[in-house]
């Protein structure tokens, strides 16, 4: 009897310690909900701001009214929450998590003129900042992209991104464009960068659309005759363009990005009332500088045909007699003043779970040479549907007739 009692007393403290460890382990992490609002310097809400709990997998984004909600298991104690948004400096706030299950934390972000703290997400990598990437990434936003008149996305990039050499190979309104981000990277293959539109890799090879001979200009022609396919994208539908011209491009996309990457992101809908945008413009095209042509009404020598024909020759004495001739300025027969028009209409909006963006455009630009006109009809629909907290549905439809 005494022996059994001793054994029972010996095992009982271990049993108590076992249950204590279970309850202690369950108390290390607690289910916590964090809510708040993110505003700017003018106390206006910032939509789409990123909120991340440092050193954890928890995070979220603000709604149209600037509010956010994060739910998950967090270890009690002091935690750091990082707030960041496009065009604003990132900010870190400290929150002490205790026995409560609900907390409120607001943040006010200041504008970032240089954009060094702007969050950039490229390829399949996690988000990083422009400060960390340095000059390897250039971001051109819609408001900067559509300044001036440009018929396609690559023309709109000219002069707006550092380190990019963008040249059009012909005077065709939709002519092929060469883009060099890292110089000539190959001898036999293309040195153009990799083009990605909304996550889909596209081929921007120039297609010949005329019956021009392949050995155009005696084989001395630089570039490719025809049209580039990025001309099919309406610049008014583009939200932003990211240009990766450093080794970081190859690290993300492999050898295909050896010459750099040009990523194009089209506009998406935002929650709120429907917003309708309409724009129209008229373009005028003309030859900047023509080749000088001799239009003198006389020439030295006699008639060039028939009896007594005379022509100037370096081996004969200079002719002093003159003959009246009719000369023509062939620039007037080749070139013309051309006009064009660009019309765009779009509507965007939606609710918290359903967002849409739809647009239509008509672009017509006459070339300065007859029969080189370019015309484009395009329609685009982008739909974002939140099915559940862990499942989203995104759809993009685009019809182009160019």
């Amino acid at each position: 009897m005494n022996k059994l009692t001793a054994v029972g007393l010996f095992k009982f403290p271990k049993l108590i310690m076992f249950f204590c460890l279970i309850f202690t382990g369950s108390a290390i992490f607690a289910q916590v909900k964090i809510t708040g609002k993110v505003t700017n310097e003018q106390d206006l809400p910032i939509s789409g701001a990123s909120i991340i709990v440092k050193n954890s997998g928890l995070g979220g984004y603000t709604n149209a009214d600037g509010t956010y909600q994060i739910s998950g298991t967090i270890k009690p104690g002091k935690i750091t929450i990082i707030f960041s948004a496009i065009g604003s400096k990132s900010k870190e706030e400290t929150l002490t998590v205790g026995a409560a299950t609900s907390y409120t934390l607001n943040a006010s972000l200041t504008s970032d003129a240089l954009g060094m703290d702007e969050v950039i997400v490229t390829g399949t990598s996690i988000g990083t900042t422009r400060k960390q990437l340095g000059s390897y990434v250039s971001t051109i936003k819609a408001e900067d992209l559509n300044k001036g008149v440009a018929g396609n996305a690559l023309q709109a990039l000219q002069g707006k991104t550092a380190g990019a050499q963008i040249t059009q190979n012909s005077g065709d309104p939709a002519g092929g464009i060469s883009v060099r981000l890292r110089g000539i990277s190959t001898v036999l293959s293309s040195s153009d960068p990799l083009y990605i539109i909304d996550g889909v890799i596209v081929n921007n090879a120039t297609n010949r659309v005329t019956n021009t001979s392949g050995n155009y200009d005696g084989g001395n022609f630089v570039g490719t005759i025809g049209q580039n396919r990025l001309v099919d994208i309406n610049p008014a539908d583009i939200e932003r363009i990211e240009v990766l011209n450093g080794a970081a491009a190859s690290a993300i996309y492999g050898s295909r990005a050896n010459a750099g990457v040009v990523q194009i992101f089209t506009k998406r809908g935002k929650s709120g009332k429907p917003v309708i945008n309409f724009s129209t413009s008229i373009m005028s095209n003309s030859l900047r500088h023509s080749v000088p042509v001799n239009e003198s009404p006389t020439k030295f020598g006699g008639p060039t045909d028939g009896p007594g024909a005379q022509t100037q020759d370096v081996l004969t004495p200079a002719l002093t007699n003159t003959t009246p001739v009719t000369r023509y300025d062939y620039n007037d027969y080749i070139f013309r003043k051309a006009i064009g028009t660009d019309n765009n209409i779009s509507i965007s909006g939606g609710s918290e779970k359903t967002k849409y963006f739809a647009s239509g455009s008509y672009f017509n630009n006459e070339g300065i040479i007859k029969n080189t006109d370019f015309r484009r009809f395009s329609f685009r629909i982008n739909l974002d549907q939140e099915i559940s907290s862990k499942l989203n549905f995104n759809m993009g439809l685009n019809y182009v007739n160019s």
Side-chain angles (χ1 to χ4, degrees):
M1 183 68 179
N2 293 334
K3 184 176 180 181
L4 293 175
T5 303
V7 173
L9 292 176
F10 178 73
K11 291 185 177 180
F12 186 69
K14 288 188 175 181
L15 189 61
I16 295 177
M17 291 177 63
F18 175 73
F19 282 105
C20 289
L21 288 175
I22 293 177
F23 287 111
T24 304
S26 62
I28 293 177
F29 292 91
Q31 187 71 22
V32 175
K33 182 176 72 172
I34 304 174
T35 59
K37 187 174 184 179
V38 181
T39 57
N40 57 15
E41 296 169 307
Q42 290 76 31
D43 201 27
L44 298 176
I46 300 178
S47 62
S50 173
I51 302 94
I52 300 175
V53 180
K54 195 172 183 179
N55 298 327
S56 73
L58 299 179
Y61 295 92
T62 56
N63 298 324
D65 55 357
T67 61
Y68 71 93
Q69 177 177 324
I70 300 175
S71 299
T73 54
I74 300 177
K75 183 179 180 179
K78 289 186 177 181
I79 62 172
T80 302
I81 300 179
I82 304 174
F83 298 87
S84 58
I86 296 177
S88 301
K89 294 182 179 179
S90 60
K91 188 176 184 180
E92 294 186 359
E93 296 284 354
T94 302
L95 178 67
T96 302
V97 177
T101 59
S102 180
Y103 299 88
T104 301
L105 182 62
N106 300 324
S108 178
L109 304 182
T110 58
S111 59
D112 184 13
L114 297 178
M116 299 305 293
D117 288 331
E118 181 177 331
V119 176
I120 298 175
V121 180
T122 58
T124 57
S125 64
I126 61 174
T128 183
T129 61
R130 185 187 302 276
K131 185 189 302 181
Q132 293 171 324
L133 290 175
S135 61
Y136 291 112
V137 175
S138 299
T139 304
I140 301 89
K141 300 178 182 178
E143 54 267 24
D144 298 326
L145 192 67
N146 293 320
K147 289 181 179 179
V149 179
N152 61 72
L154 295 183
Q155 281 183 342
L157 273 181
Q158 287 180 315
K160 297 183 178 69
T161 177
Q165 180 185 4
I166 303 174
T167 55
Q168 187 164 348
N169 298 329
S170 69
D172 191 322
I177 294 180
S178 297
V179 178
R180 299 291 180 267
L181 301 180
R182 305 187 67 188
I184 305 299
S185 58
T186 180
V187 177
L188 299 178
S189 186
S190 173
S191 295
D192 282 349
L194 182 70
Y195 295 96
I196 302 175
I197 303 176
D198 288 337
V200 179
I201 297 176
V202 297
N203 181 15
N204 191 40
T206 302
N207 297 324
R208 183 171 299 163
V209 294
T210 64
N211 58 353
T212 308
S213 175
N215 59 349
Y216 180 79
D217 199 21
N220 297 323
F221 182 74
V222 178
T224 308
I225 311 164
Q227 295 180 351
N228 70 90
R229 295 286 36 96
L230 285 187
V231 77
D232 295 336
I233 302 176
N234 181 18
D237 291 343
I238 298 176
E239 178 68 27
R240 71 184 189 278
I241 296 179
E242 292 183 1
V243 180
L244 286 75
N245 54 1
S250 299
I252 299 172
Y253 295 101
S255 60
R256 292 178 298 177
N258 185 51
V261 176
V262 175
Q263 292 190 114
I264 299 177
F265 300 87
T266 58
K267 294 180 179 179
R268 318 295 298 189
K270 297 181 180 179
S271 58
K273 296 181 179 179
V275 177
I276 300 176
N277 292 317
F278 175 76
S279 65
T280 182
S281 61
I282 297 177
M283 300 165 286
S284 176
N285 308 314
S286 61
L287 185 65
R288 179 180 301 176
H289 182 72
S290 60
V291 178
V293 176
N294 181 14
E295 297 185 70
S296 174
T298 60
K299 79 175 188 69
F300 286 103
T304 57
D305 298 322
Q310 289 180 319
T311 57
Q312 187 69 47
D313 195 330
V314 296
L315 300 178
T316 60
L319 300 174
T320 58
N321 60 316
T322 60
T323 302
V325 293
T326 302
R327 300 185 187 272
Y328 304 92
D329 185 356
Y330 295 102
N331 292 295
D332 297 335
Y333 294 88
I334 298 174
F335 302 103
R336 64 176 177 176
K337 288 187 177 180
I339 61 173
T341 180
D342 188 9
N343 306 277
N344 300 280
I345 186 171
S346 65
I347 180 172
S348 63
S351 60
E352 292 296 331
K353 292 188 176 182
T354 304
K355 303 177 182 64
Y356 61 87
F357 172 84
S359 69
S361 70
Y362 170 73
F363 179 86
N364 187 16
N365 191 13
E366 296 179 343
I368 59 176
I369 299 179
K370 295 180 181 180
N371 299 324
T372 60
D373 303 0
F374 175 70
R375 183 181 62 183
R376 179 187 65 220
F377 298 92
S378 67
F379 302 93
R380 178 180 295 274
I381 297 177
N382 288 338
L383 179 64
D384 300 322
Q385 176 67 46
E386 181 182 342
I387 301 176
S388 65
S389 59
K390 297 182 180 180
L391 182 61
N392 293 330
F393 173 76
N394 302 321
M395 181 186 69
L397 298 176
N398 186 28
Y399 170 79
V400 179
N401 186 328
S402 65

